[in-house]
Amino acid sequence: MKILKTILAVGAIVLAAAIPASAQFRIGPRLGTEVNSMRLNKSVFDNDNRAGFTGGVQMEFNVPVVNVGFDLSVMYVHRVSQSTIDNTSTDAADNAALNSSRLKNRDYIEIPLNFKYKIGLPLIGKVFTPYLFTGPSFAFLTSKTAITDVYKNKKFDLAWNFGVGVQLISHLQIGASYGLGMTKTVETLSGYTGAQPIEGKNNYWTITAAWLF
């Protein structure tokens, strides 16, 4: 909790220092889904492509005219994660533990902090405004850490998001982003020497919609 409070405090200080008094502040609900692969058609929401869901609150600070700002969200995330495992062990028990660790559900409280640039378009800007965003995402595990007798989930995960989106009628924001995992989400329990290494980083696509007031 101390880490969470520190991140929120630092984020608030950075936003307050970086954004002038003329900036616009908005807040609203944000909902979305995580997918295994981004597809430019309706099949992106097929059952076999969905990898979780997310929901929470988004706050946005935007500087008019230059159209730059930040957004900060607090999100609950249910993520179905699949690990890439080097399954070369000759030990049957070790291989059983590896195979059972491949697909696991994880729940997080995630805090993404993004730098956002809105691309102003003459005449139609109030109806249709595309934007770009990027920034870190801090995730805190809320589900159990144990996976097997060999492996456990780490309590903290750091990723970097890259995304694009569109703002419609000045309130609705629909965005898609790729989260590049910076830290491993799974680790081997100390004292166990037979386990094979796991590449357990959370790399994921997310599609969300937010309504900002």
Side-chain angles (χ1 to χ4, degrees):
M1 291 301 294
K2 290 183 178 179
I3 296 176
L4 175 59
K5 291 179 180 179
T6 301
I7 292 173
L8 290 174
V10 171
I13 293 172
V14 170
L15 292 175
I19 300 177
S22 60
Q24 299 173 343
F25 170 78
R26 301 193 298 170
I27 187 171
R30 182 183 180 188
L31 299 172
T33 183
E34 294 196 349
V35 296
N36 294 313
S37 61
M38 187 60 65
R39 306 168 185 173
L40 299 179
N41 53 52
K42 64 181 182 180
S43 66
V44 69
F45 298 111
D46 287 352
N47 289 334
D48 62 351
N49 195 44
R50 291 201 297 266
F53 59 87
T54 182
V57 177
Q58 176 177 317
M59 296 164 281
E60 181 188 78
F61 300 83
N62 185 66
V63 181
V65 183
V66 294
N67 288 329
V68 296
F70 300 87
D71 67 47
L72 177 69
S73 301
V74 178
M75 309 291 291
Y76 166 76
V77 180
H78 176 74
R79 182 172 293 149
V80 180
S81 300
Q82 184 167 359
S83 300
T84 302
I85 303 173
D86 182 11
N87 196 2
T88 59
S89 174
T90 58
D91 183 82
D94 190 19
N95 282 331
L98 288 167
N99 290 328
S100 66
S101 301
R102 287 184 183 276
L103 190 63
K104 291 295 177 181
N105 297 331
R106 298 184 178 96
D107 298 300
Y108 293 92
I109 297 297
E110 189 169 32
I111 305 174
L113 174 61
N114 294 308
F115 170 79
K116 180 181 287 184
Y117 171 62
K118 294 183 179 180
I119 304 172
L121 299 176
L123 302 178
I124 62 171
K126 291 186 177 181
V127 178
F128 180 89
T129 302
Y131 60 85
L132 307 173
F133 61 94
T134 186
S137 181
F138 310 93
F140 301 86
L141 186 71
T142 59
S143 55
K144 64 181 182 179
T145 60
I147 300 178
T148 68
D149 293 335
V150 180
Y151 300 102
K152 70 174 182 178
N153 293 317
K154 288 189 174 182
K155 295 182 179 180
F156 174 74
D157 182 39
L158 174 64
W160 195 275
N161 294 324
F162 303 87
V164 298
V166 60
Q167 177 175 284
L168 304 173
I169 57 174
S170 299
H171 293 282
L172 178 62
Q173 293 187 359
I174 300 174
S177 64
Y178 181 75
L180 179 63
M182 308 294 287
T183 57
K184 289 186 177 182
T185 60
V186 178
E187 64 181 339
T188 306
L189 295 177
S190 61
Y192 188 86
T193 59
Q196 298 297 308
I198 291 181
E199 182 63 24
K201 294 181 180 179
N202 275 334
N203 298 317
Y204 49 88
W205 288 98
T206 305
I207 302 173
T208 62
W211 184 271
L212 302 180
F213 298 94

